[in-house]
Amino acid sequence: MKTHCFHLNPEPFASIQSGDKTIESRLYDAKRQVIQNGDSLTFYNRDDTNHFIVATVTQLHHYSSFHELFTSQPPQKFGKTSIEELERQIALYYSPDDEEKYGVLGIEFDLSRPETKTL
């Protein structure tokens, strides 16, 4: 079992903390290709890295585009937002060229034993 770290803006961090968001969306690049079911995820609040949440990977969803990912999974798993807003937000971080080159990954996780901590 490996631990993978993610730095999130305050809004998606809060959405995970509340249990509203249970899938994290990323490129399927070399860094994410090593993630496996059962691995541990540590989500850090980008504005205050002393706050973090620990979760467990339960399922991996591979797609060729973020649009495919967002439309193939129940929207509530991505937090309280629309597909259009998800696509707008993800475009701030990943280019269409990178999306085409690597594909995308939806990392589904479980917070049944959430550990939200402050250092």
Side-chain angles (χ1 to χ4, degrees), residues 30-47:
K31 185 176 178 182
R32 266 63 83 160
Q33 290 174 8
V34 298
I35 297 173
Q36 297 181 23
N37 287 338
D39 283 357
S40 180
L41 304 175
T42 303
F43 297 104
Y44 289 94
N45 185 331
R46 190 178 302 276
D47 283 358

Side-chain angles (χ1 to χ4, degrees), residues 3-66:
T3 298
H4 309 277
C5 298
F6 296 90
H7 291 85
L8 301 174
N9 288 326
E11 186 177 317
F13 182 87
S15 188
I16 289 171
Q17 190 173 32
S18 70
D20 289 335
K21 180 177 178 176
T22 59
I23 295 180
E24 177 63 17
S25 311
R26 299 289 170 127
L27 285 179
Y28 191 54
D29 56 10
K31 185 176 178 182
R32 266 63 83 160
Q33 290 174 8
V34 298
I35 297 173
Q36 297 181 23
N37 287 338
D39 283 357
S40 180
L41 304 175
T42 303
F43 297 104
Y44 289 94
N45 185 331
R46 190 178 302 276
D47 283 358
D48 182 356
T49 56
N50 290 323
H51 289 88
F52 60 94
I53 302 166
V54 177
T56 303
V57 177
T58 59
Q59 195 167 358
L60 301 171
H61 307 280
H62 303 269
Y63 293 96
S64 59
S65 71
F66 286 110

